[in-house]
């Protein structure tokens, strides 16, 4: 069964520094996708970055990159040059592909990031 | 583009009352789902649907009913509200029969309080 684990309930980082948010997953399917979402205090869910199980390179989107270690089943989000606006809850999520169709999206418990000036 | 529209944004119910949370999407997505978000629990899947007329239970389905009569709409019904259903509810949609990198699009959320 799908499972996503985020072991860091909260993190602090100084402005302009890099921060890594941890995510491990468990799945028996070889085809899956990993996602990171940001939820600011206003409450909306914002898609940040995606990594596919067959992707050879780590995904990057601007200041966001995903440190994908398939053998360890980890997909950590790295935010470079943190900004005050990065303060938010961050969720890791996974979707499996089963029987030719994408399956449900499962979320971790989230990490609350606070960027300090 | 409207995307995913959830209504209402806020709601207070008395224990035992019923209500329906509305969710509509205009992207012709086959897959729609409802999550509830509670502190320390992340987003937990309540029910989901992979197309009109097809629904299935998620992780926490008890106390909730859904139906999917059209591709666009996926309402969530609370038949007899309980304080344990106080939460923030999100509706999400995405393509289903496609690449696994299909992201989910979320509504703005409904903050429900049951007293």
């Amino acid at each position: 069964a799908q499972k996503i684990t985020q072991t860091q309930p909260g993190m602090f980082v100084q402005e302009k520094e890099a921060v890594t948010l941890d995510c491990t997953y468990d799945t028996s399917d070889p085809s899956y996708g990993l996602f990171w979402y940001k939820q600011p205090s206003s409450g909306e869910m914002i898609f940040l970055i995606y990594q596919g199980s067959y992707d050879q390179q780590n995904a990057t989107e601007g200041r966001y990159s995903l440190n994908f270690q398939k053998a360890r089943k980890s997909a950590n989000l790295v935010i470079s040059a943190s900004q005050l606006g990065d303060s938010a809850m961050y969720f890791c999520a996974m979707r499996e592909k089963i029987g030719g169709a994408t399956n449900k999206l499962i979320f971790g418990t989230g990490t609350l990031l606070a960027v300090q000036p | 583009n409207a995307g995913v529209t959830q209504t209402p944004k806020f709601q207070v119910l008395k224990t035992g009352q019923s209500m329906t949370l509305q969710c509509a999407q205009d992207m012709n997505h086959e897959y729609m789902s409802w999550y509830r978000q509670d502190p320390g629990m992340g987003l937990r899947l309540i029910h989901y649907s992979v197309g009109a007329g097809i629904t299935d239970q998620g992780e926490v389905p008890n106390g909730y009913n859904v139906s999917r009569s059209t591709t666009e709409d996926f309402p969530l019904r609370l038949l007899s509200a309980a304080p344990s259903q106080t939460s923030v509810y999100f509706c999400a949609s995405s393509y289903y029969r496609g690449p696994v990198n299909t992201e989910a699009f979320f509504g703005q959320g409904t903050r429900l309080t049951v007293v």
Side-chain angles (χ1 to χ4, degrees):
Chain A
Q2 298 169 271
K3 186 177 180 181
I4 291 282
T5 302
Q6 293 180 256
T7 57
Q8 305 156 312
M11 292 276 289
F12 287 98
V13 66
Q14 291 294 122
E15 195 177 7
K16 300 181 183 178
E17 291 186 350
V19 63
T20 297
L21 307 183
D22 294 341
C23 174
T24 58
Y25 61 92
D26 190 21
T27 177
S28 57
D29 200 282
S31 179
Y32 54 89
L34 297 153
F35 303 77
W36 278 91
Y37 284 82
K38 174 184 179 181
Q39 186 182 41
S41 58
S42 52
E44 72 267 31
M45 295 290 288
I46 302 168
F47 167 71
L48 294 178
I49 195 168
Y50 161 82
Q51 180 81 46
S53 59
Y54 295 119
D55 292 344
Q56 295 298 312
Q57 293 185 323
N58 288 340
T60 60
E61 287 286 348
R63 294 185 300 108
Y64 304 108
S65 61
L66 206 152
N67 184 2
F68 182 47
Q69 298 186 45
K70 193 170 182 177
R72 298 179 61 183
K73 294 189 174 180
S74 73
N76 299 337
L77 177 71
V78 180
I79 305 175
S80 62
S82 298
Q83 303 172 355
L84 296 178
D86 294 333
S87 294
M89 181 72 83
Y90 289 82
F91 290 100
C92 180
M94 178 174 67
R95 183 195 295 275
E96 293 176 326
K97 192 175 180 75
I98 298 175
T102 54
N103 206 338
K104 50 188 180 288
L105 192 63
I106 300 297
F107 285 82
T109 53
T111 296
L112 183 62
L113 178 66
V115 180
Q116 297 176 320
Chain B
N1 292 334
V4 179
T5 303
Q6 260 184 263
T7 56
K9 293 193 68 175
F10 301 94
Q11 183 70 51
V12 179
L13 289 178
K14 292 182 179 179
T15 298
Q17 285 185 319
S18 63
M19 80 158 295
T20 299
L21 307 185
Q22 302 290 345
C23 177
Q25 52 92 9
D26 61 357
M27 296 171 282
N28 203 31
H29 286 163
E30 309 96 331
Y31 183 90
M32 296 186 73
S33 54
W34 278 100
Y35 296 87
R36 61 177 288 173
Q37 182 180 13
D38 303 291
M41 305 292 286
L43 279 78
R44 293 182 292 170
L45 184 65
I46 304 172
H47 285 284
Y48 65 99
S49 167
V50 299
I54 306 169
T55 63
D56 206 348
Q57 296 181 349
E59 183 184 359
V60 287
N62 292 339
Y64 307 96
N65 281 350
V66 292
S67 60
R68 185 93 179 270
S69 57
T70 66
T71 300
E72 293 78 18
D73 300 299
F74 190 46
L76 179 72
R77 297 184 188 86
L78 286 71
L79 296 180
S80 179
S84 60
Q85 294 178 304
T86 293
S87 187
V88 179
Y89 292 84
F90 284 96
C91 177
S93 75
S94 67
Y95 291 109
Y96 180 61
R97 297 195 177 278
V100 74
N101 65 340
T102 302
E103 69 180 270
F105 294 82
F106 284 82
Q108 292 295 303
T110 297
R111 186 173 295 275
L112 175 68
T113 302
V114 183
V115 298

